[in-house]
């Protein structure tokens, strides 16, 4: 099967930063920060996850917790101690990133149920428990690997019912979504995307909307805009970006920016300032 994540990870840079690794003897509150998610890896100990909607979940075995922003949450320690690795992560573009929109507010994966992740997470725990040169950089990179493996697991095991990753888990829809990702400048129509998926026009339109949560046309527009934003942030000139993402002219892309972002591309770029990552506070 064609790589379903290649264009997402190539165009939207994944970065993780570990801020806690080792034995903890107290809980912590994790504030929301736009565009930033949290990864918590729990090796041992008994903890309770409390989210902003009031939901409480007890974690009593090795687990990976994935929380997408904005997600105020608390890890409450039950017992004397626990061994954890906690990191923030982002895919770029903040709330406009398609991967962020694809993830649920909270996803808990039991490590025993994900053998493809187990070896990497075990290696990460070993590194976290040591004090070797390069420890911080290795932990950050291993967390990025864990995140990619979790995305793969979400698709391969079809753990989500709706959204982009659910669409990529569907063999026929994945062909059409991959085609959009690979060739955004192509003059895609509902008919041409349905042919790529090997489905009738009506069946493809209904199935795409039910699984992905939006129409094919809406997803194509979102992908083009997100890709344009990512390219502009990397310093690509507006004229070149417009052609590469499927707009006939810079003015056409500027009109889309004005409607969707409330400002033209130049103003949007000026408004993009690096926001500090909000770290946890002990509770």
């Amino acid at each position: 099967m064609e790589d379903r994540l290649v264009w997402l990870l190539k165009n939207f840079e994944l970065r993780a930063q570990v801020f806690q690794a080792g034995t903890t003897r107290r809980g912590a509150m994790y504030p929301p920060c736009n565009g930033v998610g949290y990864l918590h890896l729990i090796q041992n100990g008994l903890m309770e996850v409390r989210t902003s909607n009031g939901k409480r979940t007890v974690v009593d075995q090795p687990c990976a917790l994935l929380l997408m922003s904005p997600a105020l949450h608390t890890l409450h320690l039950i017992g004397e101690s626990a061994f954890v690795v906690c990191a923030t992560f982002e895919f770029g573009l903040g709330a406009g990133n398609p991967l962020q929109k694809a993830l649920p507010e909270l996803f808990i994966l039991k490590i025993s149920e994900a053998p493809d992740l187990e070896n990497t997470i075990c290696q990460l725990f070993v590194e976290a428990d040591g004090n070797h040169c390069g420890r911080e950089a290795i932990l950050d990179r291993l967390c990025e690997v864990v995140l990619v493996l979790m995305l793969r697991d979400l698709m391969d095991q079809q753990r989500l019912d709706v959204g982009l990753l659910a669409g990529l888990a569907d063999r026929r829809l994945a062909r059409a979504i991959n085609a959009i990702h690979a060739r955004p400048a192509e003059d895609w129509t509902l008919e041409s995307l349905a042919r790529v998926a090997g489905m009738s026009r009506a069946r493809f339109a209904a199935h795409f909307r039910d699984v992905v949560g939006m129409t094919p046309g809406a997803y194509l527009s979102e992908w083009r805009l997100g890709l344009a934003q990512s390219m502009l942030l990397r310093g690509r000139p507006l004229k070149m970006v417009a052609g590469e993402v499927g707009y006939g002219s810079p003015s056409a892309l500027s009109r889309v920016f004005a409607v969707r972002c409330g400002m033209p591309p130049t103003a949007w770029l000026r408004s993009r300032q690096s926001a500090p990552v909000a770290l946890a506070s002990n509770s």
Side-chain angles (χ1 to χ4, degrees), residues 150-213:
M150 289 186 74
L151 294 175
R152 180 193 294 175
D153 178 85
L154 286 168
M155 293 186 301
D156 290 348
Q157 303 304 319
Q158 299 183 341
R159 299 186 190 274
L160 301 178
D161 296 325
V162 68
L164 174 57
L165 292 177
L168 289 171
D170 183 292
R171 179 177 53 84
R172 294 176 298 178
L173 294 183
R175 291 199 292 262
I177 295 171
N178 272 348
I180 289 173
H181 290 175
R183 304 189 300 279
E186 192 160 324
D187 185 20
W188 293 112
T189 63
L190 187 58
E191 290 79 6
S192 62
L193 288 171
R195 283 196 298 272
V196 172
M199 303 171 69
S200 70
R201 180 181 182 275
R203 176 58 181 156
F204 171 74
H207 190 50
F208 193 103
R209 184 178 61 251
D210 291 343
V211 175
V212 181

Side-chain angles (χ1 to χ4, degrees), residues 29-38 52 68-73 276-279:
M29 178 178 292
Y30 303 86
C33 184
N34 190 37
V36 175
Y38 287 92
S52 56
M68 203 61 252
S69 73
L72 172 68
H73 62 287
V277 175
L279 296 181

Side-chain angles (χ1 to χ4, degrees), residues 22 64 74 82 105 191 212 220 230 254 264 273:
T74 301
E105 181 185 32
E191 290 79 6
V212 181
L220 174 61
S230 181
S254 295
Q273 297 177 350

Side-chain angles (χ1 to χ4, degrees), residues 96-109:
N97 185 279
L99 277 171
Q100 176 171 337
K101 296 178 181 179
L103 295 170
E105 181 185 32
L106 170 63
F107 176 71
I108 300 177
L109 180 63

